[in-house]
Amino acid sequence: MIIQKSSNPRISSFDPTSFSFGNTFIDHMIICEYNNGKWGDLQLVPYGPIGFTPAMMGVNYGQACFEGMKAYKDKDGKVFLFRPEKNAERINKSAKRLAIPEIPKEIFMEGLKTLVDIDRDWIPHGEGMSLYIRPLLFATEEALKARVSEKYLFAIVATPAKSYYAAPVSVKISDHYSRSANGGVGFAKAAGNYAASFYPTQLAIEEGYDQIIWTDDSTHEYFEESGTMNVFVRINDTIYTPKTSEKILDGVTRDSFLQLAKRRNLEVVVGDVKVSDVIAAQRNETLKEVWGVGTAVVTSIFEALGYNDEHLLLPKLSEEESFAAMLKKDLTDIQTNQAEDPFGWRVLVEEQVYDL
């Protein structure tokens, strides 16, 4: 690996008690270029702009995908990643669907661990605090030709993170717009998936909601995802969540929640979640909780559902009563090294001495 450390690091001016998530970037980033049919040298360089033209194929034809993951710091200053191999696998699953060359796992993992190690001082410690990490792949060839690009860039950037969506949110059940369709790229973390979601979300916000629960494209009878999250429903004491498919992202947090629920011997049903069943449960007061899960938010508990022209309130449960809150604590305790890790999910980032 080629390491070029910043000559003007900003860490001394970073205030972990006051920063903007998503706009505050650590001192370095990882880059690796693909050209002439192969990946080149992995590089750690100072964070900053990279020169491109408006003719870059990733901008024009949408060959771009990414991942979302986090690093955590415990009370002793040790740094951990959470299930990074899942992100390495999934970025290549996305890349394959978008005809992007897959990034070798060893390049992904070496770049990830080196960046987190060198910029470990940027990782805030405390409840809800972490370093949000964004690996991404995109086409960089300068050509206005509707074909597969011949040049790509793998990069990793990161931003300190704190809790958001901390308060319960209201979500609208979509009866027109869909996030994805059969045969599409819904299972991939393709950049275009998010662009297509923004307009319907804006419409929902104008109606007083915070997010959307996406439904299937053909009938709008089944839950799929919520915003950028996987969705869970609790009716009585049974947890339901849609099965993953070519339309639904195989979320790392979703999979972790399922395993933690089974470890607690909670009843979990993975399969079709009918809108009509959820609405009926709300009306007969057996619907206890609906929540979303994802890397950035971990858990977002919903306080109301918008259905047709109705605003349907959900029960206000205490943390002791809430399965969502209980499973979130189980997960974050593992991530932050406050509990045993029976699954082997937590990966220690060893401090290294680099030959610069």
Side-chain angles (χ1 to χ4, degrees), residues 229-248:
M229 302 175 288
N230 292 114
V231 64
F232 285 79
V233 173
R234 173 186 168 192
I235 298 176
N236 289 321
D237 286 338
T238 301
I239 297 172
Y240 299 85
T241 193
K243 61 181 180 295
T244 56
S245 66
E246 61 183 0
K247 297 193 293 179
I248 297 176

Side-chain angles (χ1 to χ4, degrees), residues 83-273:
R83 306 187 73 180
E85 75 289 343
K86 297 287 288 183
N87 299 97
E89 293 169 4
R90 195 171 62 182
I91 198 169
N92 280 330
K93 187 177 179 182
S94 299
K96 183 176 181 179
R97 178 61 180 84
L98 298 173
I100 296 173
E102 296 179 27
I103 187 78
K105 184 176 180 180
E106 58 271 20
I107 290 180
F108 183 97
M109 295 300 295
E110 183 182 1
L112 175 66
K113 289 182 177 180
T114 303
L115 179 65
V116 170
D117 182 20
I118 285 179
D119 276 348
R120 62 176 54 232
D121 289 344
W122 281 90
I123 307 173
H125 168 67
E127 185 175 356
M129 309 289 267
S130 61
L131 182 72
Y132 183 83
I133 306 166
R134 171 58 56 85
L136 61 158
L137 283 166
F138 55 96
T140 57
E141 184 182 352
E142 183 182 14
L144 298 181
K145 300 178 181 180
R147 58 159 170 78
V148 171
S149 176
E150 295 179 358
K151 296 181 180 180
Y152 299 87
L153 187 74
F154 169 63
I156 308 176
V157 298
T159 175
K162 49 192 171 185
S163 294
Y164 70 98
Y165 280 162
V169 298
S170 297
V171 294
K172 180 182 178 181
I173 299 173
S174 177
D175 58 2
H176 177 70
Y177 294 102
S178 295
R179 177 185 170 275
S180 60
N182 287 317
V185 295
F187 68 89
K189 284 189 75 70
N193 287 349
Y194 296 80
S197 74
F198 293 155
Y199 176 67
T201 303
Q202 281 184 330
L203 295 179
I205 290 171
E206 289 171 7
E207 293 182 37
Y209 294 96
D210 301 290
Q211 260 298 351
I212 287 179
I213 290 183
W214 302 106
T215 52
D216 67 288
D217 63 298
S218 56
T219 68
H220 297 288
E221 293 180 0
Y222 299 95
F223 278 20
E224 290 194 337
E225 293 188 8
S226 179
T228 59
M229 302 175 288
N230 292 114
V231 64
F232 285 79
V233 173
R234 173 186 168 192
I235 298 176
N236 289 321
D237 286 338
T238 301
I239 297 172
Y240 299 85
T241 193
K243 61 181 180 295
T244 56
S245 66
E246 61 183 0
K247 297 193 293 179
I248 297 176
L249 188 71
D250 187 7
V252 177
T253 308
R254 171 190 177 276
D255 180 72
S256 303
F257 259 62
L258 290 174
Q259 294 193 52
L260 289 165
K262 291 174 183 176
R263 186 167 182 258
R264 280 189 171 270
N265 295 314
L266 299 174
E267 185 176 356
V268 177
V269 177
V270 178
D272 292 337
V273 178

Side-chain angles (χ1 to χ4, degrees), residues 7-32:
S7 60
N8 186 30
R10 293 168 285 104
I11 184 61
S12 60
S13 62
F14 172 59
D15 182 355
T17 66
S18 177
F19 63 89
S20 175
F21 169 72
N23 299 104
T24 303
F25 294 96
I26 65 176
D27 281 317
H28 299 93
M29 62 184 180
I30 293 292
I31 58 172
C32 185

